[in-house]
């Protein structure tokens, strides 16, 4: 499908842009907060549309299930493969063939570049949850190439 | 005939209050704000009961489906009826109809439901404007126009 590739190319250009910016500013490390913020804004806005036809969510787990199924299908054309939680606000979402990484390799080659390609998605999840009134910190972990784990840490205000 | 519609944010701050009337005087504006805000308590109450029922799902009452986004008639005064709708993202949509005018007194529930659904769709489009920051008031002229035509045509 042609419309899928447009999103992928735009995404990789955004990352190139962020790399270029941080090089110009003299940083050795790539500053990914811009990419994360773009994801956040997109996630926040897309959530209003996606949940329009949905009944109200029962609880937090219900919301996470929504993220794993409908939200993921809408953006990455597949569902999350594994959802784990400790029922205390930590959720781990595992995608065995993460779309932005499948084109690279099936091994450890390019592993050092992987974090750049998951920052946007972290922001996307965080923004989506923020609009559903769940404040969270989302981090990602890549061990072997196309698979990726997202850790969602819900911040409770107590 | 709907008198006014309002979009209320997560923190109960009004994002948009629009209505039609004979004039746009300050007095009219104030009464609109007052009408919409009287409904907010009733709205919160409905939401609170829905979550507590879900918490102990054993005693499901004879209420309407509380997972429905449309909350129905919230509050009615001598002159107005106020209907509510809360999205999954905790945006509250309020519609006020006049119960004194002949077209408003026998308005059907289904009509209000469709009107609020369409308002939700309009809101979702307005929020997708990249220049709109979440939590800001909606100043879009297009949104205003669409809402006005919604009020005039649909209900």
């Amino acid at each position: 499908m042609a419309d899928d590739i447009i999103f992928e190319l735009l995404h990789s250009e955004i990352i190139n842009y962020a790399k270029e910016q941080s090089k110009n500013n003299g940083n050795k490390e790539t500053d990914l907060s811009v990419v994360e913020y773009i994801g956040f804004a997109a996630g926040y806005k897309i959530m209003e549309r996606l949940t329009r036809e949905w009944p109200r969510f029962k609880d937090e787990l219900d919301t996470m299930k929504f993220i794993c199924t409908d939200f993921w299908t809408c953006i990455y054309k597949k569902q999350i493969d594994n959802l784990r939680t400790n029922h205390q606000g930590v959720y781990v979402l595992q995608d065995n063939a993460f779309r932005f990484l499948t084109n690279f390799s099936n091994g450890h080659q390019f592993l050092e570049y992987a974090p750049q390609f998951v920052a946007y998605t972290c922001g996307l999840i965080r923004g989506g949850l923020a609009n559903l009134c769940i404040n969270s910190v989302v981090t990602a972990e890549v061990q072997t190439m196309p698979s990726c784990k997202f850790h969602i840490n819900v911040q409770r205000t107590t | 005939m709907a008198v006014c519609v309002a979009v209320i944010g997560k923190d109960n701050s009004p994002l948009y209050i629009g209505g039609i009337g004979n004039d746009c005087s300050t007095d009219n504006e104030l009464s609109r704000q007052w009408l919409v805000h009287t409904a907010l308590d009733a709205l919160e109450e409905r939401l609170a009961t829905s979550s507590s029922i879900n918490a102990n799902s054993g005693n499901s009452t004879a209420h309407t489906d509380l997972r429905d986004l449309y909350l129905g008639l919230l509050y009615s005064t001598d002159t107005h009826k106020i209907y509510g709708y809360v999205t999954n993202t905790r945006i509250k949509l309020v519609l006020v109809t006049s119960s004194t005018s002949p077209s408003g007194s026998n308005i059907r529930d289904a009509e209000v439901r469709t009107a609020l659904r369409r308002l939700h769709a309009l809101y979702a489009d307005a929020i997708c404007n990249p220049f709109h920051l979440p939590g800001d008031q909606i100043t879009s002229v297009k949104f205003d126009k669409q809402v006005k035509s919604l009020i005039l045509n649909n209900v």
Side-chain angles (χ1 to χ4, degrees):
Chain A
M1 286 273 275
D3 48 344
D4 291 351
I5 199 76
I6 291 172
F7 174 45
E8 264 164 55
L9 291 174
L10 181 63
H11 174 258
S12 56
E13 278 313 313
I14 290 170
I15 288 157
N16 278 340
Y17 170 76
K19 251 193 267 186
E20 203 69 22
Q21 282 295 97
S22 35
K23 208 183 279 172
N24 290 345
N25 293 339
N27 297 337
K28 274 199 184 118
E29 293 283 311
T30 313
D31 182 14
L32 289 171
S33 60
V34 176
V35 180
E36 210 259 358
Y37 178 72
I38 295 172
F40 179 85
Y44 196 95
K45 282 170 183 178
I46 210 165
M47 200 46 103
E48 189 64 52
R49 260 164 204 270
L50 282 184
T51 57
R52 205 159 66 191
E53 303 298 321
W54 267 69
R56 207 180 305 288
F57 294 121
K58 274 207 295 277
D59 50 14
E60 212 172 82
L61 189 63
D62 211 33
T63 315
M64 290 301 167
K65 281 181 192 158
F66 173 80
I67 296 273
C68 292
T69 55
D70 280 65
F71 185 71
W72 217 258
T73 317
C74 168
I75 296 159
Y76 298 108
K77 312 289 173 206
K78 72 188 282 292
Q79 295 191 358
I80 281 282
D81 294 296
N82 195 342
L83 166 67
R84 272 188 259 176
T85 173
N86 66 352
H87 295 287
Q88 278 161 2
V90 179
Y91 298 84
V92 180
L93 279 60
Q94 190 181 339
D95 191 336
N96 288 334
F98 185 55
R99 182 165 147 196
F100 292 139
L101 300 179
T102 43
N103 295 336
F104 292 171
S105 80
N106 286 332
H108 296 286
Q109 200 191 1
F110 304 121
L111 194 63
E112 56 194 300
Y113 299 111
Q116 298 167 0
F117 285 84
V118 292
Y120 176 82
T121 310
C122 288
L124 206 65
I125 300 172
R126 196 167 67 88
L129 289 173
N131 202 357
L132 296 170
C133 300
I134 298 175
N135 288 321
S136 56
V137 173
V138 181
T139 51
E141 172 190 350
V142 184
Q143 277 167 350
T144 47
M145 248 324 214
S147 95
C148 180
K149 277 183 192 164
F150 295 94
H151 297 259
I152 301 173
N153 215 326
V154 177
Q155 310 285 297
R156 287 182 212 281
T157 47
T158 43
Chain B
M1 151 91 76
V3 179
C4 117
V5 292
V7 179
I8 313 285
K10 293 180 209 291
D11 49 354
N12 283 348
S13 59
L15 300 180
Y16 174 85
I17 294 187
I20 42 159
N22 303 331
D23 59 334
C24 296
S25 63
T26 336
D27 207 32
N28 213 339
E29 185 68 36
L30 268 178
S31 72
R32 270 178 208 153
Q33 295 242 5
W34 180 79
L35 275 170
V36 168
H37 280 86
T38 46
L40 285 182
D41 270 339
L43 226 154
E44 302 258 300
E45 210 170 82
R46 294 279 175 100
L47 279 182
T49 48
S50 74
S51 58
S52 70
I53 283 169
N54 283 324
N56 43 27
S57 52
N59 55 5
S60 58
T61 48
H63 271 282
T64 48
D65 185 12
L66 284 162
R67 296 185 68 193
D68 197 352
L69 301 178
Y70 174 62
L71 294 177
L73 181 66
L74 291 174
Y75 194 79
S76 70
T77 64
D78 289 345
T79 50
H80 294 96
K81 282 184 178 153
I82 303 168
Y83 298 86
Y85 182 104
V86 179
T87 72
N88 269 311
T89 55
R90 309 282 165 87
I91 302 292
K92 302 168 184 94
L93 308 177
V94 176
L95 187 145
V96 183
T97 66
S98 156
S99 50
T100 47
S101 78
S103 59
S105 51
N106 51 9
I107 187 169
R108 280 205 307 275
D109 211 42
E111 285 178 60
V112 181
R113 185 190 290 263
T114 29
L116 282 168
R117 267 175 169 280
R118 282 188 48 203
L119 179 64
H120 187 187
L122 292 181
Y123 169 76
D125 288 346
I127 217 79
C128 285
N129 178 355
F131 299 111
H132 177 269
L133 291 173
D136 273 9
Q137 294 215 343
I138 300 171
T139 49
S140 158
V141 180
K142 188 181 165 203
F143 178 74
D144 193 52
K145 234 180 231 169
Q146 283 172 323
V147 170
K148 291 246 160 74
S149 81
L150 176 95
I151 298 174
L152 286 170
N153 297 333
N154 211 44
V155 188

